[in-house]
Amino acid sequence: SQKIEQNSEALNIQEGKTATLTCNYTNYSPAYLQWYRQDPGRGPVFLLLIRENEKEKRKERLKVTFDTTLKQSLFHITASQPADSATYLCALAHNAGNMLTFGGGTRLMVKP
Amino acid sequence: NAGVTQTPKFQVLKTGQSMTLQCAQDMNHNSMYWYRQDPGMGLRLIYYSASEGTTDKGEVPNGYNVSRLNKREFSLRLESAAPSQTSVYFCASSESQAKNIQYFGAGTRLSVL
């Protein structure tokens, strides 16, 4: 069966360090992958999209990689800040017209 | 610019009661979605509307109905609420299914006793 896995345990890091979150998937051939941020009591907010033919995407302090051979995406936040503390969700789409399927999310805690 | 607005924000129902969750978007988006979010389960798609006048089932449609009232509004109805429907419900919209970056509302926290 199709599965998207994100580490359900919280990731705790020190301010200024790089946070790396993982999204693994099985039985998918996604056309693209998205990352969202969700704060407590709020809806998810879109951050980045990376397509199957792209290896890496950057936006300010954020970087996403996409390895279709390993079936894995890594989400990096460099120079992390306490304000980066949130839950981060990955989402896959089989093809351009298909629905998104979300992973369970990983909670990031950045300590000052 | 309000984006996606959901009402109500909180609701408590008794088993067997019915209610409608409202969602409206002001971004002129074609596609709209209803999800539920449960601890450890992530977001699961209940129903979606690719465009005005169409609706389709998602991953977990049982116990729910939807109406795409017009391009702006997409409502979710629980005809006979069950405790298993206790969850946080999110509405989202996107420009289209092809441009599927989704914009979410703040959610409705529903408890069914």
Side-chain angles (χ1 to χ4, degrees), chain A residues 6 34-36 38 44 87-91 102-105, chain B residues 37 43:
Chain A
Q6 293 185 257
Q34 299 181 13
W35 283 88
Y36 289 77
Q38 186 174 22
T87 296
Y88 292 86
L89 309 171
C90 70
F102 285 82
Chain B
Q37 187 173 40
L43 286 161

Side-chain angles (χ1 to χ4, degrees), chain B residues 89-103:
Chain B
Y89 291 86
F90 287 100
C91 176
S93 70
S94 65
E95 186 175 334
S96 67
Q97 283 187 262
K99 293 185 178 181
N100 202 3
I101 293 171
Q102 297 192 7
Y103 296 81

Side-chain angles (χ1 to χ4, degrees), chain B residues 6-43:
Chain B
Q6 291 184 238
T7 55
K9 294 192 187 317
F10 302 94
Q11 185 71 48
V12 178
L13 293 177
K14 294 181 180 178
T15 298
Q17 285 186 315
S18 62
M19 79 160 296
T20 300
L21 281 64
Q22 307 286 354
C23 175
Q25 52 91 9
D26 62 2
M27 295 173 282
N28 200 35
H29 283 171
N30 289 302
S31 301
M32 297 185 74
Y33 313 85
W34 275 105
Y35 293 91
R36 61 179 288 173
Q37 187 173 40
D38 303 293
M41 301 289 288
L43 286 161

Side-chain angles (χ1 to χ4, degrees), chain B:
Chain B
N1 191 349
V4 178
T5 303
Q6 291 184 238
T7 55
K9 294 192 187 317
F10 302 94
Q11 185 71 48
V12 178
L13 293 177
K14 294 181 180 178
T15 298
Q17 285 186 315
S18 62
M19 79 160 296
T20 300
L21 281 64
Q22 307 286 354
C23 175
Q25 52 91 9
D26 62 2
M27 295 173 282
N28 200 35
H29 283 171
N30 289 302
S31 301
M32 297 185 74
Y33 313 85
W34 275 105
Y35 293 91
R36 61 179 288 173
Q37 187 173 40
D38 303 293
M41 301 289 288
L43 286 161
R44 292 183 292 169
L45 183 65
I46 304 171
Y47 270 94
Y48 67 97
S49 171
S51 59
E52 187 179 355
T54 69
T55 60
D56 283 290
K57 295 178 181 179
E59 180 186 355
V60 288
N62 291 344
Y64 306 95
N65 284 302
V66 291
S67 295
R68 183 75 182 265
L69 303 170
N70 47 55
K71 192 171 186 179
R72 291 186 64 248
E73 298 172 287
F74 188 38
S75 63
L76 178 72
R77 182 158 179 85
L78 287 70
E79 290 291 352
S80 179
S84 60
Q85 295 179 304
T86 294
S87 188
V88 182
Y89 291 86
F90 287 100
C91 176
S93 70
S94 65
E95 186 175 334
S96 67
Q97 283 187 262
K99 293 185 178 181
N100 202 3
I101 293 171
Q102 297 192 7
Y103 296 81
F104 286 82
T108 295
R109 281 141 191 85
L110 175 67
S111 292
V112 183
L113 306 177

Side-chain angles (χ1 to χ4, degrees), chain A residues 13-19 61 77-81 84 110:
Chain A
I13 64 167
Q14 206 65 35
E15 182 176 9
K17 301 292 186 184
T18 295
R61 294 184 296 111
I77 306 176
T78 58
S80 60
Q81 305 165 0
D84 295 325
V110 181

